[in-house]
Amino acid sequence: MSRDPWSDIVLGARDMMPMALAAATYGTAFGLLAIQSEFSLAQTISMSALVFGGSAQLVALDQLVAGAGVAAAVLAGAALNIRILLITASMRAALTHRPWWQVMAGVYVATDASVALMQTAKQRGTLASYHYLFGGGLLLLLVWIAATTLGALLSQGIPNPKTYGLDFAIVAVFVALLPGLWRGRQDLTPWGIAAATVAAGTVLFPDHAAWALVCGAVCGAVVAGLRHDA
């Protein structure tokens, strides 16, 4: 790994490119769905820039469209994103001894893809530096905002995105990322509990499937934390 910060940023962005292109698919889908849900262009772009969380944004959007209110939407999105606490904990070596503003910037761009990016560095036999992770996260953020904007602008040409299965794009991408996020048998218990919670919640409360996702994320994160898997 180069000691030059700019070289590390460029390298991180390069390694994140495949995941960024995949994220662009469901970023576009989110933009389409948000406009179809009567969000304005400014609201759609702002949500992607401030929240920067694909699954959390879709869950929050679902709550708003269902009339649950802003508080419920924020709570649902925040609960689903509790896994980010585990992601940032796994990045602690890169964040330690950094100025507070660098820590805040690093946490802001931390996503599920950050874990995969660290695995990429490990495969080369190196540790992911702060600038390497920041470069990858920054590229993903810019692509996400651009894709959301594109989807919002194209919304008039696709009357109902769900007809084409675009609302499933985010699910497909997350499934594709799972093999790269799997660390071994230690993930079996938290992943299993999260999946079982979501399945049970969806069956028992089909009208509140979004909350089943939230509960599954929280339960899986708590179990992983108790097992010190972060």
Side-chain angles (χ1 to χ4, degrees):
M1 182 74 68
S2 172
R3 294 183 181 181
D4 176 38
W6 286 110
S7 296
D8 280 359
I9 289 175
V10 172
L11 182 59
R14 186 199 69 183
D15 288 347
M16 180 64 81
M17 185 61 72
M19 288 175 281
L21 294 176
T25 303
Y26 61 88
T28 303
F30 172 76
L32 288 165
L33 293 170
I35 296 298
Q36 293 295 324
S37 300
E38 299 184 354
F39 271 48
S40 69
L41 177 62
Q43 289 173 329
T44 301
I45 297 174
S46 297
M47 188 176 188
S48 282
L50 297 175
V51 179
F52 187 33
S55 55
Q57 288 180 219
L58 285 179
V59 168
L61 180 64
D62 180 69
Q63 293 296 309
L64 290 172
V65 173
V70 175
V74 171
L75 178 61
L80 188 59
N81 262 4
I82 196 172
R83 70 189 188 283
I84 300 299
L85 293 176
L86 301 179
I87 292 173
T88 53
S90 68
M91 296 169 57
R92 61 183 177 272
L95 296 175
T96 302
H97 306 308
R98 289 281 168 184
W100 68 267
W101 59 271
Q102 287 190 351
V103 173
M104 294 296 291
V107 170
Y108 172 58
V109 298
T111 62
D112 301 277
S114 299
V115 178
L117 196 62
M118 286 189 290
Q119 295 300 321
T120 299
K122 288 180 180 179
Q123 289 174 4
R124 295 198 304 268
T126 60
L127 294 176
S129 71
Y130 170 82
H131 293 97
Y132 175 78
L133 292 170
F134 179 76
L138 180 61
L139 174 71
L140 188 63
L141 171 64
L142 295 176
V143 170
W144 176 252
I145 294 175
T148 298
T149 303
L150 177 62
L153 293 174
L154 293 176
S155 63
Q156 298 301 318
I158 304 180
N160 186 5
K162 294 184 178 181
T163 302
Y164 302 93
L166 294 178
D167 57 326
F168 186 71
I170 187 170
V171 179
V173 173
F174 268 111
V175 170
L177 287 175
L178 287 180
L181 298 176
W182 176 259
R183 298 175 299 171
R185 294 180 60 184
Q186 71 267 32
D187 284 338
L188 184 60
T189 299
W191 285 31
I193 289 177
T197 302
V198 173
T202 301
V203 172
L204 295 175
F205 307 101
D207 294 333
H208 302 283
W211 286 106
L213 288 173
V214 172
C215 291
V218 172
C219 291
V222 169
V223 171
L226 292 176
R227 288 167 55 87
H228 303 288
D229 285 341

